[in-house]
Amino acid sequence: MFNCDKEPNADATKVFGLLKYYDEPLWNECTNHNKLSVIAYVFTIKSDHGLSEANYDKIIKWARNILPEGTKLK
């Protein structure tokens, strides 16, 4: 049975920290996407269509250029 009284181990703490970081909205007024949803969606496109890492990087670079100033997609 899962014991919620214990503190998470170092690996779990790191994962929870990353999830919290990627749960931020892309920019302050953005309410429908966060960093994780965008990265996951683009990665799904990459996988579904067999795109190379270079193509994935080009898509992310393009997205950064069209998003508003102050976007948190890195």
Side-chain angles (χ1 to χ4, degrees):
M1 181 169 238
F2 184 70
N3 184 350
C4 294
D5 296 334
K6 289 185 177 180
E7 290 294 319
N9 66 29
D11 290 334
T13 299
K14 184 176 179 180
V15 169
F16 291 139
L18 287 170
L19 288 173
K20 184 176 179 181
Y21 172 76
Y22 284 103
D23 192 35
E24 294 179 10
L26 287 178
W27 61 89
N28 292 335
E29 296 83 27
C30 182
T31 59
N32 57 344
H33 293 289
N34 61 30
K35 293 182 213 178
L36 183 58
S37 70
V38 171
I39 291 169
Y41 187 74
V42 175
F43 191 75
T44 299
I45 292 170
K46 176 194 181 305
S47 298
D48 288 350
H49 300 285
L51 299 176
S52 68
E53 187 173 338
N55 290 130
Y56 175 84
D57 291 344
K58 285 180 183 179
I59 292 170
I60 295 296
K61 184 177 179 179
W62 171 77
R64 285 185 195 129
N65 287 325
I66 64 167
L67 292 169
E69 184 78 26
T71 276
K72 297 174 185 172
L73 183 63
K74 296 181 180 182

